[in-house]
């Protein structure tokens, strides 16, 4: 979850430098172990120097008006009791809007969210309009000082990501993508190094929607429309309790972006375009 008050420069400490570390390649079949990404030919970025996990922020700016909407399905490891008492960390209305508007999207899902909402995780994972990617199991931060989130010990970072893949598969997601989004978007070289060898591309963004904790849908919509450029990756949230305006934002923004000539794609398409 990304608080409205914080903005992209504070999140992406290394993004500008590391985005160029890799070029797009077709992923070789990964290990079928439950803690690894699914075997596929999905586009990923090549590792950076020393095998460092590559980081992707946006697609090419000169190959047409494409934009990828991404949605973080957040739950931290300690929020299960709140969900059990009735707090909604899912957002079926948002998913319904995306389907009605025929908008493909990439959903970054925590393993704890998949365990809380297995039917919804399975539904998203089997719908060709969506691709489901990894947002950690715990939604604990991979760096210090990340919006007050608890932190994952460096020695447990890899296990947290592997546990998330196992949870996604257990919920019925058949092919979780080899993409990972750091909780809060917070990362550093230690975190990138910890995930080296997993075969994942870390996916950031270049447009912060500001939907987290927002109550003014019009203001969020304006922020998205002002920020989108060809190849943009927009970060939004799929959590009713903490991002209550997102469905309204999507219903406002999608028709306007289409009027401006934009085509909606998944993150995998943008990554695939990067190396061409």
């Amino acid at each position: 979850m990304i608080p409205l008050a914080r903005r992209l420069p504070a999140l992406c400490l290394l993004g500008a430098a590391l985005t160029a570390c890799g070029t797009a390649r077709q992923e070789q079949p990964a290990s079928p172990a439950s803690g690894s990404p699914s075997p596929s030919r999905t586009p990923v970025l090549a590792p950076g120097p020393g095998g460092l996990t590559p980081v992707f922020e946006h697609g090419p700016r000169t190959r047409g008006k494409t934009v990828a909407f991404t949605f973080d399905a957040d739950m931290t490891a300690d929020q299960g009791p709140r969900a059990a008492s009735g707090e909604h960390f899912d957002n079926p209305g948002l998913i319904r809007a995306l389907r009605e508007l025929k908008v493909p999207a990439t959903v970054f899902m925590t393993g704890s969210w998949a365990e809380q909402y297995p039917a919804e995780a399975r539904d998203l994972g089997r719908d060709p309009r969506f691709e489901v990617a990894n947002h950690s199991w715990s939604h604990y931060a991979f760096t210090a000082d990340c919006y007050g989130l608890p932190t994952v010990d460096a020695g447990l970072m890899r296990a947290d990501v592997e546990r998330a893949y196992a949870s996604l598969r257990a919920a019925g997601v058949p092919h979780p993508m080899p993409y990972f989004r750091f909780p809060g978007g917070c990362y550093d070289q230690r975190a990138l190094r910890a995930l080296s060898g997993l075969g994942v591309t870390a996916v950031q963004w270049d447009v912060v929607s500001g939907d987290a904790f927002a109550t003014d849908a019009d203001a969020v919509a304006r922020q998205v429309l002002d920020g989108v450029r060809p190849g943009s990756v927009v970060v939004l949230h799929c959590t009713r309790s903490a991002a209550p305006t997102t469905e309204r934002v999507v219903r406002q923004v999608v028709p306007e972006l289409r009027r401006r000539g934009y085509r909606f794609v998944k993150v995998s398409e943008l990554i695939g375009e990067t190396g061409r």
Side-chain angles (χ1 to χ4, degrees):
M1 186 61 64
I2 303 158
L4 182 61
R6 299 283 290 271
R7 288 296 181 266
L8 185 62
L11 296 173
C12 304
L13 301 176
L14 301 173
L18 292 173
T19 300
C21 284
T23 56
R25 64 179 175 84
Q26 296 295 311
E27 182 194 19
Q28 296 302 311
S31 165
S34 62
S36 302
S38 294
S40 68
R41 294 287 177 175
T42 303
V44 294
L45 295 184
L52 206 65
T53 300
V55 180
F56 178 77
E57 291 181 348
H58 61 78
R61 301 298 194 189
T62 59
R63 295 185 181 171
K65 289 185 173 182
T66 54
V67 58
F69 274 14
T70 67
F71 297 88
D72 292 355
D74 293 333
M75 272 190 70
T76 57
D78 58 358
Q79 288 177 330
R82 288 166 55 181
S85 67
E87 185 170 348
H88 293 288
F89 293 91
D90 62 343
N91 195 338
L94 168 63
I95 301 305
R96 184 167 55 251
L98 293 169
R99 285 172 168 151
E100 290 173 359
L101 294 166
K102 296 181 172 55
V103 176
T106 304
V107 179
F108 288 89
M109 189 179 296
T110 65
S112 51
W113 193 99
E115 291 176 10
Q116 182 66 40
Y117 302 105
E120 294 182 50
R122 181 171 59 251
D123 181 51
L124 288 167
R126 296 182 179 183
D127 185 336
R129 190 174 302 281
F130 303 104
E131 56 189 15
V132 174
N134 193 316
H135 195 29
S136 81
W137 184 84
S138 63
H139 201 258
Y140 287 178
F142 283 54
T143 67
D145 189 26
C146 183
Y147 308 122
L149 289 171
T151 57
V152 178
D153 183 81
L156 299 176
M157 290 176 181
R158 185 185 184 98
D160 193 85
V161 175
E162 291 175 332
R163 183 178 178 184
Y165 274 120
S167 295
L168 294 176
R169 285 199 181 82
V173 177
H175 303 295
M177 303 295 281
Y179 305 144
F180 175 71
R181 174 163 286 167
F182 286 99
C186 303
Y187 68 93
D188 54 19
Q189 286 219 14
R190 183 182 68 165
L192 295 175
R193 193 174 301 113
L195 304 187
S196 295
L198 275 178
V200 299
T201 294
V203 176
Q204 295 285 96
W205 54 83
D206 65 314
V207 179
V208 178
S209 69
D211 67 335
F213 309 107
T215 57
D216 185 343
D218 292 338
V220 176
R222 285 194 300 272
Q223 185 156 309
V224 173
L225 292 171
D226 288 346
V228 167
R229 299 169 59 196
S232 279
V233 176
V234 183
V235 59
L236 299 123
H237 293 84
C238 186
T239 311
R240 269 185 288 176
S241 62
T245 67
T246 309
E247 179 187 347
R248 284 177 285 161
V249 169
V250 165
R251 291 187 182 276
Q252 289 182 49
V253 167
V254 168
E256 175 59 22
L257 285 176
R258 282 183 170 145
R259 189 191 68 79
R260 298 180 184 184
Y262 279 90
R263 178 173 64 91
F264 291 91
V265 299
K266 303 170 191 173
V267 163
S268 56
E269 183 169 334
L270 289 185
I271 292 177
E273 290 176 351
T274 299
R276 293 177 189 167

